[in-house]
Amino acid sequence: MALVKAETVNGFAGLPPLRQVGLMVGLAASVALGVAVVLWAQKPTYSLLYGSLSEQDAAQVAEALQKANIPYRIDPGSGALLVPARQVRQARLKLAGEGLPRGAGGGFELLDKDQGFGTSQFVQNARYQHALEGELARTISELDNVRAARVHLALPRRTAFLRRNEVATASVMVELYSGRRLAADQVAAIAHLVASSVPRLDARHVTVVDQHGSLLSSPGHRGLEGLTASQFAYAGKLEQSYADRVRALLEPLVGPGKVKAEVAVDLDFTEVERTEESYDPDSKALRSEQVVEETRNEPAAGGVPGTLSNTPPPAGKAPVKATAGTQGVAGGGTGTAEKSSSKRSIRNFELAKTISHTRLPAGKLRKLSIAVVLDDKVVKGKDGKLKRQPWSDQEIARFSAIVKGALGFDAQRGDQLQIVSAPFQPLPKPEPLPAPPIWKQPWFWDLARQVGGALGVLLLLFGVLRPLLRNLADNGKALEAAAQALPAGEEPAEDQLSLSGPGAQGTLPGPGDRLDDQLSVVQNMAREDPKRVAQVMKNWVNDGA
């Protein structure tokens, strides 16, 4: 090994200075390339951790990853945060434990900041509203199908000087995961969640939209569109309930999976309100009674006009009794006292009155249509083999009676029922999903990178460095041979160290080479440069002499 190193050093020293510099630069570049290939092979594959973060959240997440000794990168183009693919789950769990990312808006922690001495009431109210929006967005983001959310509150200022105050409204924008959607009850839950968290906010005034701009909540004014959607949903639930009831009754008799039922309902969604007022003439009751009675005593004028008629009657004679409405005359034409009385009564009777207010419910069933398809039954034939056979008319009639009784069939209402027996086609067996190709496996590219790096290093070693070192060693051997061929104390000329031209091997043969190689080199040298060969032979002859 020491001999090889000495030959290599001698070969390098025998090169021209320009070639030495070029060789050193090439060796340095080869070593740098090898190191770069090794580092590239060991470099992990980075995957997306969070794609859209604010600068504040990105700084907090990066600080948390640095404390957890998790390497990360930030894409300069999109600003996305990348971590090694094998540590994505670990990084997310770590960040979730610390409550990161918190979101750009923040929650009630915004109120913990120093408000300042000169902060106005308007700024304080705006900060509180912003903090409330952030807390609501965090709560909505905890739903399974929601990736992120934003809440906007429109809270009008209430004052006693306005006769009519405006109502509070809210808007919610939810970003759903790919392939996910929110059901109607989930949208209603979000609306009620926001309405319950804000004073004087009605759930009907909360609008919910998704990231595609689709309106998820029904209009608050219950217009024609929202009413039609609710009608359609109610009709669908009713039809599904009837179909499930038919299958639950017939599948135990026919067999599981051998009943297909479809039900169509005709509903009347007209809302009718009716008020009736009726009287009973046979039933009466005294409501009020007023009685007025008057009595008056007045002297009555009578008799012959003159002094005699105005003279009081003599003693011992009683006056004539007067009745109500009559006048009595005493004696022969003399006037007597008159007494009158009157009595009036007013009675008010109340007849029995009935007031009824009737509101007919919407969604009244007007017509029911049922269609049922039964799979043919399987019976054993005379030859002992199983075969399919349609259901008989008696059996279908029995099934019809069962369905009619279960669904409340009414022929006078116009309901229809049709049961048909037909052979079902067997369902094709699902083909197994093709396995993803090997180049789509997550471990493939890491392994390919490592194998590629190893091949690059081997190619660099055996394709570049080894031939180069071998060439230097051969040059060192040529120098030693030239030094032995020259007289003692004489230095070999530069043109004696190497040969060039067609067929030349570039160096003199060494003592350990094969005889055929030595002869081939000597023949080429004699053919191309006979003067140099002659000089070498002359030196040998002089040394022998």
Side-chain angles (χ1 to χ4, degrees):
M1 192 67 178
L3 181 60
V4 175
K5 291 183 178 179
E7 294 175 352
T8 303
V9 172
N10 293 332
F12 178 78
L15 294 177
L18 186 60
R19 292 189 61 183
Q20 290 180 358
V21 174
L23 182 60
M24 293 177 63
V25 172
L27 287 174
S30 300
V31 173
L33 180 60
V35 173
V37 170
V38 172
L39 294 178
W40 174 78
Q42 296 179 352
K43 186 178 180 181
T45 302
Y46 280 80
S47 298
L48 178 65
L49 180 64
Y50 292 110
S52 56
L53 291 177
S54 62
E55 295 180 357
Q56 181 180 1
D57 285 342
Q60 295 175 354
V61 170
E63 183 180 358
L65 293 176
Q66 188 175 2
K67 292 181 180 179
N69 294 326
I70 299 177
Y72 66 91
R73 284 170 40 190
I74 299 179
D75 190 349
S78 60
L81 197 62
L82 308 175
V83 297
R86 297 180 180 180
Q87 296 180 327
V88 172
R89 182 74 60 180
Q90 177 185 357
R92 289 183 177 176
L93 291 177
K94 181 67 176 178
L95 295 174
E98 298 183 7
L100 296 175
R102 295 188 176 92
F108 283 124
E109 65 272 7
L110 296 177
L111 302 179
D112 297 337
K113 299 180 180 179
D114 187 12
Q115 303 293 331
F117 180 75
T119 304
S120 63
Q121 184 68 28
F122 175 78
V123 175
Q124 292 181 357
N125 294 336
R127 287 180 178 176
Y128 173 77
Q129 180 175 338
H130 186 51
L132 182 59
E133 293 173 349
E135 290 292 336
L136 290 174
R138 287 181 184 177
T139 305
I140 297 173
S141 301
E142 296 296 329
L143 298 178
D144 293 338
N145 298 335
V146 179
R147 183 176 183 180
R150 295 194 65 182
V151 180
H152 303 280
L153 300 178
L155 305 178
R157 183 179 179 183
R158 301 183 63 85
T159 175
F161 296 100
L162 293 179
R163 181 174 298 178
R164 182 178 180 181
N165 292 321
E166 297 180 358
V167 296
T169 58
S171 301
V172 181
M173 196 281 289
V174 292
E175 181 182 356
L176 306 179
Y177 287 103
S178 178
R180 306 285 185 88
R181 67 183 186 88
L182 291 178
D185 54 347
Q186 293 176 319
V187 176
I190 293 176
H192 284 81
L193 172 67
V194 176
S196 302
S197 304
V198 180
R200 298 180 297 275
L201 176 60
D202 194 347
R204 296 176 300 176
H205 300 152
V206 179
T207 304
V208 183
V209 298
D210 60 4
Q211 70 269 29
H212 304 292
S214 301
L215 180 63
L216 303 181
S217 59
S218 300
H221 57 274
R222 297 287 296 173
L224 181 60
E225 181 180 359
L227 188 61
T228 303
S230 62
Q231 292 176 4
F232 183 78
Y234 175 74
K237 291 181 179 179
L238 188 61
E239 292 172 350
Q240 185 66 31
S241 175
Y242 283 153
D244 294 340
R245 196 180 304 177
V246 172
R247 285 191 291 267
L249 288 174
L250 297 183
E251 280 188 350
L253 305 176
V254 179
K258 295 186 176 183
V259 179
K260 301 296 182 183
E262 291 292 337
V263 180
V265 296
D266 185 7
L267 301 177
D268 184 10
F269 289 99
T270 303
E271 295 184 359
V272 178
E273 294 185 4
R274 182 172 55 195
T275 303
E276 294 182 354
E277 183 177 355
S278 60
Y279 297 91
D280 187 5
D282 299 331
S283 177
K284 61 182 179 178
L286 181 63
R287 185 180 65 176
S288 61
E289 182 179 6
Q290 182 179 3
V291 179
V292 179
E293 185 175 357
E294 296 180 357
T295 303
R296 292 181 300 176
N297 293 324
E298 295 180 356
V304 179
T307 304
L308 183 61
S309 58
N310 294 327
T311 302
K317 292 184 179 179
V320 179
K321 185 179 180 179
T323 60
T326 60
Q327 295 180 356
V329 179
T334 60
T336 60
E338 181 179 272
K339 185 178 182 180
S340 63
S341 63
S342 65
K343 185 177 182 181
R344 299 190 305 272
S345 62
I346 301 175
R347 296 180 178 179
N348 295 323
F349 293 91
E350 188 74 28
L351 298 178
K353 181 176 67 173
T354 303
I355 299 176
S356 60
H357 182 76
T358 305
R359 181 176 181 179
L360 300 179
K364 181 181 179 181
L365 182 61
R366 293 188 296 191
K367 185 178 179 181
L368 189 64
S369 300
I370 310 107
V372 182
V373 181
L374 305 177
D375 191 11
D376 290 345
K377 59 182 178 179
V378 180
V379 297
K380 184 180 293 185
K382 296 181 180 180
D383 53 356
K385 296 182 179 180
L386 299 178
K387 63 178 181 179
R388 290 180 173 272
Q389 180 179 347
W391 297 91
S392 61
D393 296 339
Q394 293 79 8
E395 293 172 330
I396 291 180
R398 182 163 59 93
F399 295 153
S400 299
I402 295 175
V403 173
K404 289 180 180 179
L407 301 186
F409 187 86
D410 189 0
Q412 297 181 355
R413 190 173 54 191
D415 295 351
Q416 298 179 358
L417 173 62
Q418 186 70 26
I419 299 181
V420 179
S421 177
F424 285 4
Q425 297 296 329
L427 297 176
K429 295 182 179 180
E431 298 181 358
L433 296 176
I438 190 173
W439 60 83
K440 290 186 179 181
Q441 298 292 340
W443 52 266
F444 174 77
W445 292 110
D446 293 339
L447 180 61
R449 185 182 290 107
Q450 295 177 2
V451 173
L455 292 178
V457 172
L458 293 176
L459 181 62
L460 183 64
L461 291 176
F462 294 96
V464 178
L465 297 180
R466 184 177 180 182
L468 182 60
L469 296 177
R470 181 180 297 175
N471 190 13
L472 293 176
D474 293 340
N475 287 337
K477 293 178 181 180
L479 287 175
E480 292 179 359
Q484 295 175 2
L486 294 175
E490 184 178 355
E491 295 294 333
E494 183 179 352
D495 57 355
Q496 293 179 344
L497 300 180
S498 61
L499 299 173
S500 61
Q505 293 183 359
T507 59
L508 294 175
D513 293 344
R514 294 185 304 172
L515 181 60
D516 295 340
D517 295 339
Q518 295 177 2
L519 293 176
S520 177
V521 173
V522 172
Q523 291 176 358
N524 292 333
M525 293 172 60
R527 186 183 308 111
E528 295 178 359
D529 197 353
K531 294 182 178 181
R532 184 179 302 177
V533 175
Q535 182 66 30
V536 172
M537 293 299 294
K538 182 179 178 181
N539 293 334
W540 286 351
V541 171
N542 293 332
D543 292 340

